[in-house]
Amino acid sequence: MTETDLRLDVLMRLSDLPGVPGQEDAVRDFVLKELDGLCDSVRVDALGNVIAYRKAAKAKKGQKPERVMISAHMDEIGFLVRHVDEKGYLRVQQLGGFDTRNLFARNVTVHARGGALPGIMQPGGKPVHIASAEERKKIPEVSEFFIDLGLDGEEARRLVRVGDMVTLDQAARQVGGLVCGKAMDDRACVFMALETLRVLKGQKLKHDLYAVFSVQEEVGLRGAVTAAYGVEPTIGIGLDVTLAVDLPALGAGPHEAVTRLGDGIGIKVFDSSMISTRWLVDEFHDLAEKKGIKAQLEVLPMGGTDGGAIQRSRAGVPSLTLSIPTRYIHTVVESVNADDVRAGVDLLVAYLT
């Protein structure tokens, strides 16, 4: 593949879309349009997962194709409104993990029934000019943050309901060789799956392919659990981002980098949701070497992916996860390298054909 083969504008549009767990509608609509003409069938299940299917080429006598499920999640970390007070300020329920140091003075959008409302997220507390030294050091909890809509209590309560989605504002952009945006986790892998299907169009597949675009991963791998139960795969491949701590980090040594941008797609060995099936790790690593595709083995001490949910489905499924190295995960400037995404597409195509 060449540099122009990856439609980075599509990746950036995906990152810009709003879609917290349970409200992935805009992302799902985008994915469904992108899938048009690429698969034998596409359906949406009861939980909201998109399941796209492509049949394998006719197998030789005595051979049976695998049922391969790949899964990338559509949801991003964000919030739900949980309270509107008498002065019009909103309190929120977090969906997914946040480092609150990255939430100060953020522009947000409240997705109300009547339309999107701009807001400002800030923790309660004194401005730096009048705060004590100890107060300035304090790291607030999510429960201490509020959203200011610039509206009085009556108007805010008229427009906003408990349960309305709140997303952080940040337009995706290219920064040198990086693609940066608020939701590369996991829209970069949604994009990687879509690009894989686009490259595979017209090619014969070795295995039956179920490409799942899952929901509610950030709150417990929920979409992948139900999708895997329904698909009944014989091979599972999670697609997600992973840490790239390959930058100045106080106290972090080279052994804690997990992955490095530009060194290729990550082949996960371990995270806190799964120990990847060893023979499958070996198969993908050997295939990458054979095809000259850049890849790196990855151990992530904490965190989980759809691969963990697939692996534990029914009586168990041989599974691994392919990971896109990403800087600044769970911030509004999540950053990936296009070459690593391309390596992921190439490795998936090589395996499936």
Side-chain angles (χ1 to χ4, degrees):
M1 299 178 74
T2 63
E3 187 72 26
T4 55
D5 283 329
L6 285 183
R7 303 170 300 158
L8 296 182
D9 61 312
V10 173
L11 171 55
M12 290 188 285
R13 282 157 57 198
L14 271 166
S15 179
D16 288 348
L17 292 171
V20 302
Q23 298 187 45
E24 300 92 349
D25 307 65
V27 186
R28 180 166 46 247
D29 290 345
F30 187 96
V31 166
L32 289 170
K33 288 178 183 176
E34 284 288 316
L35 288 172
D36 187 39
L38 296 181
C39 300
D40 296 314
S41 68
V42 179
R43 64 184 177 89
V44 178
D45 71 10
L47 209 60
N49 299 302
V50 176
I51 302 174
Y53 170 68
R54 269 209 57 192
K55 186 175 178 58
K58 188 175 181 180
K60 295 179 180 178
K61 189 175 181 180
Q63 293 182 341
K64 185 179 180 181
E66 301 282 2
R67 295 166 60 89
V68 177
M69 173 177 162
I70 65 174
S71 186
H73 68 91
M74 297 185 288
D75 57 309
E76 64 187 285
I77 58 172
F79 307 91
L80 297 178
V81 174
R82 66 179 176 87
H83 179 69
V84 185
D85 73 19
E86 69 279 358
K87 293 184 178 180
Y89 298 115
L90 313 183
R91 299 289 182 162
V92 295
Q93 170 64 47
Q94 73 182 82
L95 299 173
F98 282 95
D99 181 344
T100 57
R101 294 174 298 178
N102 298 312
L103 291 178
F104 283 75
R106 286 292 178 198
N107 288 320
V108 300
T109 298
V110 179
H111 301 268
R113 278 180 105 184
L117 300 171
I120 301 160
M121 175 174 273
Q122 181 71 358
K126 298 175 185 176
V128 66
H129 309 77
I130 58 173
S132 69
E134 284 303 311
E135 287 170 331
R136 289 197 294 270
K137 291 178 184 177
K138 184 177 182 290
I139 299 174
E141 302 291 330
V142 172
S143 60
E144 297 175 56
F145 283 78
F146 64 90
I147 294 173
D148 185 352
L149 296 176
L151 302 173
D152 62 31
E154 183 179 348
E155 185 70 356
R157 286 177 167 176
R158 186 180 70 83
L159 295 173
V160 179
R161 297 191 310 168
V162 170
D164 284 345
M165 169 171 62
V166 180
T167 56
L168 300 168
D169 291 352
Q170 183 71 43
R173 61 176 182 162
Q174 290 184 254
V175 179
L178 307 178
V179 185
C180 167
K182 69 175 177 65
M184 292 298 150
D185 179 8
D186 192 30
R187 309 285 166 71
C189 289
V190 169
F191 172 72
M192 185 167 73
L194 289 171
E195 290 295 271
T196 298
L197 289 167
R198 187 170 67 92
V199 173
L200 287 172
K201 186 176 181 180
Q203 296 193 50
K204 293 182 178 180
L205 299 191
K206 180 180 179 182
H207 307 296
D208 286 336
L209 173 61
Y210 295 83
V212 174
F213 302 87
S214 67
V215 297
Q216 300 188 40
E217 188 271 354
E218 294 289 0
V219 290
L221 317 180
R222 298 177 187 181
V225 168
T226 61
Y229 188 90
V231 168
E232 297 185 64
T234 58
I235 297 288
I237 304 172
L239 305 177
D240 214 326
V241 298
T242 193
L243 294 179
V245 193
D246 57 347
L247 39 81
L250 186 64
H255 63 289
E256 295 174 293
V258 182
T259 61
R260 292 171 173 79
L261 258 68
D263 282 1
I265 192 70
I267 300 173
K268 189 180 294 293
V269 174
F270 170 93
D271 67 24
S272 56
S273 73
M274 70 184 297
I275 298 173
S276 296
T277 304
R278 189 64 198 184
W279 63 260
L280 201 53
V281 170
D282 292 341
E283 184 173 344
F284 270 79
H285 191 260
D286 292 348
L287 181 61
E289 285 192 337
K290 179 181 177 181
K291 297 290 185 179
I293 299 167
K294 291 183 77 172
Q296 51 189 314
L297 295 172
E298 172 221 347
V299 173
L300 181 66
M302 290 184 65
T305 74
D306 283 354
I310 302 169
Q311 187 180 58
R312 289 175 285 177
S313 181
R314 292 183 180 262
V317 181
S319 300
L320 54 57
T321 291
L322 297 182
S323 308
I324 297 177
T326 306
R327 291 178 184 160
Y328 323 119
I329 283 181
H330 283 202
T331 74
V332 295
V333 290
E334 295 174 336
S335 301
V336 301
N337 183 304
D339 289 338
D340 295 333
V341 179
R342 182 177 297 106
V345 173
D346 289 347
L347 187 53
L348 280 170
V349 168
Y351 178 75
L352 292 166
T353 55

